[in-house]
């Protein structure tokens, strides 16, 4: 999360810094260009005024004498910051431009203008009527507007940079606060999540316990009556849609009442536990085994024909009669009667169970400890 916040900050601040510096660069160049144009325009006016003043002072520009230079220099100083006489042109001619003065009297003056550092330099070459160079006048004018503009721009840039630095600082401080708040929030969320997980696990355990209580017989730990009917009915409906078959075995412990009466309910409970455990060991995972009440049990056998169910019931009967229940001073042997029915020509699971129940009572009437179905 911290890395995410850091990346988001960079994503925001880097373009901000880039845009700010680009804006400052464009503003600086645009402003300097405008100031330079203003200075150039002003310089051109100064040159025109200088020539015009020379003319009005009756200085013959076609034949200037050496004595005229003092007066020329004096006039020049009214328009330019510095005026110097020079014969040899030792100055650089880089960026020179010729000033076009629309005056016939200036045809004998060659004027070149260029920039050097923070000055505008004008080079006046005075020639006679034969185009021979008489002397050279070099003027220097400080770029006042340019310098002032440069100063103002520096102040402006400084203000913008200070604002940008403050913005970055505030953003950084805010980011740190967010990270701290996020850490605290993550800690609280993690703690709360762990509590919820623990609660969910406890609820899951409770739900499983409630499910067991609702669906399991407390004594034998097999399905109770409600659970048996619920699961068996679901399987019956699924098999009915595919023309499948299900068989039911009803089981009743023989003479169970006499065990309770003779040895007490504690021994009766022990018999029920051992009886259920012995049958459960013989069943497959998809076969449903439940206690319907008292000493009555039932087994649902999905995809099992009546003949196959009868064989299973016979194997269980034989296993039960071999079980020995040890009690103080004696041993008990238990038998059970079985009634078997299937889902052929039936419309509900209750009908199958009723048919199996009838077969069970038939087994009871015919001597107990036996398996009965419509096949036998």
């Amino acid at each position: 999360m911290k890395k995410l916040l850091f990346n988001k900050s960079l994503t925001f601040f880097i373009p901000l810094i880039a845009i700010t510096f680009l804006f400052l660069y464009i503003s600086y160049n645009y402003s300097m260009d405008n100031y330079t144009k203003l200075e150039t325009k002003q310089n051109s006016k100064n040159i025109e005024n200088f020539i015009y003043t020379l003319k009005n002072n009756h200085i013959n520009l076609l034949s200037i004498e050496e004595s005229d230079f003092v007066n020329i220099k004096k006039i020049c100083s009214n328009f330019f910051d510095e005026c110097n006489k020079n014969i040899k042109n030792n100055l650089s001619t880089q960026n020179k431009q010729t000033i076009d003065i629309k005056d016939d009297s200036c045809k004998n003056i060659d004027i070149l203008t260029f920039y050097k550092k923070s000055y505008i330099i004008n080079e006046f070459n005075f020639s006679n009527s034969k185009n021979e160079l008489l002397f050279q006048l070099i003027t220097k004018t400080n770029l006042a507007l340019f310098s002032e503009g440069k100063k103002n721009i520096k102040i402006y840039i400084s203000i913008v940079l200070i604002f940008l630095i403050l913005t970055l600082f505030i953003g950084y401080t805010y980011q740190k606060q967010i990270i701290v708040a996020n850490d605290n929030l993550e800690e609280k969320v993690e703690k709360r999540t762990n509590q919820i997980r623990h609660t969910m696990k406890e609820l899951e355990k409770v739900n499983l316990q409630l499910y067991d209580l609702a669906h399991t017989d407390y004594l034998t730990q097999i399905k109770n009556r409600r659970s048996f009917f619920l699961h068996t009915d679901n399987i019956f409906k699924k098999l009915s849609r595919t023309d499948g078959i299900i068989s039911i075995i009803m089981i009743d412990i023989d003479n169970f009442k006499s065990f309770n009466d003779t040895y007490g309910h504690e021994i009766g409970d022990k018999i029920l536990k051992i009886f259920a455990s012995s049958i459960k060991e013989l069943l497959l995972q998809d076969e449903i085994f439940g206690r319907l009440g008292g000493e009555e049990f039932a087994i649902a056998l999905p995809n099992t024909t009546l003949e196959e169910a009868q064989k299973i019931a016979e194997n269980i009967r034989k296993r039960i009669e071999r079980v020995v229940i040890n009690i103080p001073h004696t041993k008990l042997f238990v038998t059970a009667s079985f009634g078997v029915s299937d889902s052929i020509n039936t419309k509900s699971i209750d009908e199958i169970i009723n048919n199996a129940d009838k077969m069970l009572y038939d087994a009871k009437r015919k001597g107990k400890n036996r398996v009965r179905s419509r096949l036998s």
Side-chain angles (χ1 to χ4, degrees), residues 198-261:
H198 178 73
T199 303
M200 292 296 292
K201 287 181 180 179
E202 292 300 317
L203 285 174
E204 188 177 348
K205 290 179 182 178
V206 172
N207 286 333
L208 289 173
Q209 291 173 356
L210 290 174
Y211 182 86
D212 289 339
L213 289 174
H215 294 81
T216 305
D217 179 65
Y218 76 96
L219 182 64
T220 59
Q221 295 302 301
I222 61 174
K223 296 187 184 305
N224 59 19
R225 182 183 183 89
R226 178 179 178 275
S227 180
F228 177 83
F229 274 90
L230 181 65
H231 285 79
T232 304
D233 187 57
N234 288 336
I235 293 175
F236 173 77
K237 290 176 180 177
K238 289 180 182 178
L239 292 174
S240 297
R241 290 193 290 267
T242 58
D243 295 326
I245 189 171
I246 182 172
S247 295
I248 299 292
I249 301 175
M250 294 293 293
I251 310 170
D252 189 85
I253 300 175
D254 296 330
N255 306 314
F256 183 73
K257 187 176 182 302
S258 64
F259 287 118
N260 274 335
D261 294 341

Side-chain angles (χ1 to χ4, degrees), residues 88-144:
K88 295 182 180 181
N89 183 14
N90 296 323
L91 296 174
S92 172
T93 60
Q94 185 179 6
N95 296 324
K96 283 186 178 181
Q97 56 179 341
T98 303
I99 304 298
D100 184 19
I101 304 299
K102 296 180 180 180
D103 192 329
D104 293 338
S105 63
C106 296
K107 290 182 179 180
N108 63 324
I109 304 176
D110 182 27
I111 305 170
L112 298 176
T113 300
F114 56 92
Y115 300 94
K116 188 175 183 181
K117 295 183 180 180
S118 60
Y119 293 95
I120 299 177
I121 297 176
N122 298 303
E123 191 177 275
F124 295 86
N125 295 305
F126 292 87
S127 303
N128 57 23
S129 58
K130 297 179 182 181
N131 287 329
E132 295 175 345
L133 181 66
L134 298 176
F135 67 89
Q136 187 180 68
L137 186 68
I138 298 173
T139 67
K140 186 183 290 186
T141 304
N142 186 31
L143 290 171

Side-chain angles (χ1 to χ4, degrees), residues 188-359:
K188 290 179 181 178
V189 169
E190 183 67 24
K191 184 178 180 180
R192 186 61 176 169
T193 302
N194 291 333
Q195 291 175 347
I196 292 174
R197 286 174 183 166
H198 178 73
T199 303
M200 292 296 292
K201 287 181 180 179
E202 292 300 317
L203 285 174
E204 188 177 348
K205 290 179 182 178
V206 172
N207 286 333
L208 289 173
Q209 291 173 356
L210 290 174
Y211 182 86
D212 289 339
L213 289 174
H215 294 81
T216 305
D217 179 65
Y218 76 96
L219 182 64
T220 59
Q221 295 302 301
I222 61 174
K223 296 187 184 305
N224 59 19
R225 182 183 183 89
R226 178 179 178 275
S227 180
F228 177 83
F229 274 90
L230 181 65
H231 285 79
T232 304
D233 187 57
N234 288 336
I235 293 175
F236 173 77
K237 290 176 180 177
K238 289 180 182 178
L239 292 174
S240 297
R241 290 193 290 267
T242 58
D243 295 326
I245 189 171
I246 182 172
S247 295
I248 299 292
I249 301 175
M250 294 293 293
I251 310 170
D252 189 85
I253 300 175
D254 296 330
N255 306 314
F256 183 73
K257 187 176 182 302
S258 64
F259 287 118
N260 274 335
D261 294 341
T262 305
Y263 302 103
H265 290 285
E266 185 178 348
I267 298 301
D269 290 344
K270 183 176 181 180
I271 291 172
L272 290 172
K273 289 179 182 179
I274 295 174
F275 181 84
S277 177
S278 300
I279 295 176
K280 190 175 181 180
E281 291 173 357
L282 299 177
L283 300 179
L284 300 177
Q285 188 173 3
D286 61 339
E287 296 171 343
I288 303 169
F289 182 36
R291 182 187 178 194
L292 304 188
E295 69 277 15
E296 190 175 44
F297 297 82
I299 303 172
L301 306 169
N303 301 308
T304 304
T305 63
L306 182 62
E307 185 178 1
E308 292 170 338
Q310 190 170 335
K311 290 180 181 179
I312 292 172
E314 184 61 32
N315 290 335
I316 294 172
R317 186 194 67 77
K318 291 178 181 179
R319 171 68 181 273
I320 293 301
E321 69 179 2
R322 293 197 302 268
V323 173
V324 179
I325 301 172
N326 295 307
I327 63 172
H329 311 298
T330 187
K331 294 181 179 180
L332 299 179
F333 295 90
V334 179
T335 63
S337 299
F338 298 79
V340 186
S341 181
D342 61 10
S343 58
I344 295 177
N345 298 324
T346 59
K347 297 181 180 179
S348 67
I349 195 66
D350 290 333
E351 190 176 349
I352 305 172
I353 291 175
N354 287 335
N355 292 337
D357 203 38
K358 290 176 182 178
M359 293 295 104

